[in-house]
Amino acid sequence: MIIALLNQKGGVGKTTLAVHLAEVLSRLDKSVLLVDADPQGSALDWAANRPDNPPFPVIGLPKPTLHRELPAIAKNHDFVLIDGPPRVNELARAAIMASDVVLIPVQPSPFDVWAAKEIVDLLREASTFKENLKSAFVINRKIVNTAIGRDVVEALSSYPVPVLKTSIGQRVAFAESAAQGLTVLHTDPSGPASQEIVSLAKELLEL
């Protein structure tokens, strides 16, 4: 299964989610590949900052030919996570065409809801070529114990894309683990951040 994390709006947490989902899936004894398709190379930076080798390979492939090159690279892996670019461009189109599932991280703000239209339009365009393409929103960086998370779910209902039940909170643990080239599953394995990520991975697999 190839899963792309995409949104034309930067700063929504694509890399954080991609890295953490790759970590969870690798712990299920699955062969996982993380593809950094963002020219900024944040996932590659994360891997380089690790104190040891990650349990899955991380490669850079920020190329508009991604959809043609990835199948040969991905064939020996159970799961491939694509950390997509922060804009709707040829790279994003290539990532969609390479994927089975597109996960769209959205922060709980009106700006993110409005910005989601571009990636939804791109998915609609791609669906004419890929009838079985699946997609879903995931609420990321939700402020815990506030109503704004519920409000954004309601606002996103205007799009023909489902919203996953699992939301990821705005937690310092994610930044602290990233600074070490690790994940919250290493630094706080029983904490709420880890529980949310594991729940998200399970829900994603049910798609």
Side-chain angles (χ1 to χ4, degrees):
M1 179 187 289
I2 301 178
I3 305 159
L5 289 100
L6 293 169
N7 193 325
Q8 71 93 21
K9 189 175 184 297
V12 296
K14 291 187 294 291
T15 302
T16 297
L17 292 182
V19 163
H20 279 81
L21 287 171
E23 179 75 38
V24 173
L25 293 170
S26 70
R27 293 186 180 206
L28 298 176
D29 292 327
K30 301 296 184 181
S31 174
V32 178
L33 172 67
L34 178 56
V35 176
D36 193 336
D38 184 346
Q40 294 177 358
S42 299
L44 288 170
D45 290 342
W46 171 84
N49 206 37
R50 279 185 68 95
D52 55 8
N53 290 326
F56 46 84
V58 183
I59 65 169
L61 202 59
K63 299 166 67 176
T65 54
L66 171 68
H67 58 301
R68 293 200 293 269
E69 297 184 38
L70 191 56
I73 300 170
K75 64 182 180 181
N76 295 322
H77 298 278
D78 299 310
F79 293 97
V80 177
L81 281 298
I82 302 174
D83 181 18
R87 289 174 298 281
V88 169
N89 55 19
E90 292 307 311
L91 272 176
R93 287 183 171 86
I96 289 173
M97 294 307 295
S99 301
D100 302 305
V101 178
V102 175
L103 198 59
I104 310 167
V106 177
Q107 293 183 114
S109 96
F111 301 105
D112 283 57
V113 174
W114 299 331
K117 183 180 184 303
E118 288 194 53
I119 194 70
V120 171
D121 288 345
L122 202 58
L123 286 168
R124 186 182 294 114
E125 175 187 311
S127 66
T128 61
F129 303 99
K130 298 192 68 171
E131 292 182 1
N132 296 323
L133 180 66
K134 297 181 180 179
S135 59
F137 289 114
V138 56
I139 308 302
N140 194 31
R141 295 179 175 168
K142 175 185 174 183
I143 301 172
V144 182
N145 297 323
T146 65
I148 194 167
R150 293 191 300 272
D151 294 343
V152 76
V153 170
E154 184 177 342
L156 288 170
S157 67
S158 63
Y159 294 118
V161 175
V163 181
L164 297 184
K165 294 178 182 177
T166 304
S167 59
I168 307 300
Q170 171 76 298
R171 303 187 188 280
V172 175
F174 288 113
E176 290 177 340
S177 66
Q180 303 172 59
L182 298 172
T183 68
V184 293
L185 280 82
H186 299 96
T187 58
D188 191 13
S190 60
S194 292
Q195 293 172 15
E196 289 170 355
I197 287 295
V198 170
S199 176
L200 177 63
K202 288 179 179 178
E203 191 174 358
L204 183 60
L205 292 178
E206 291 172 359
L207 284 176

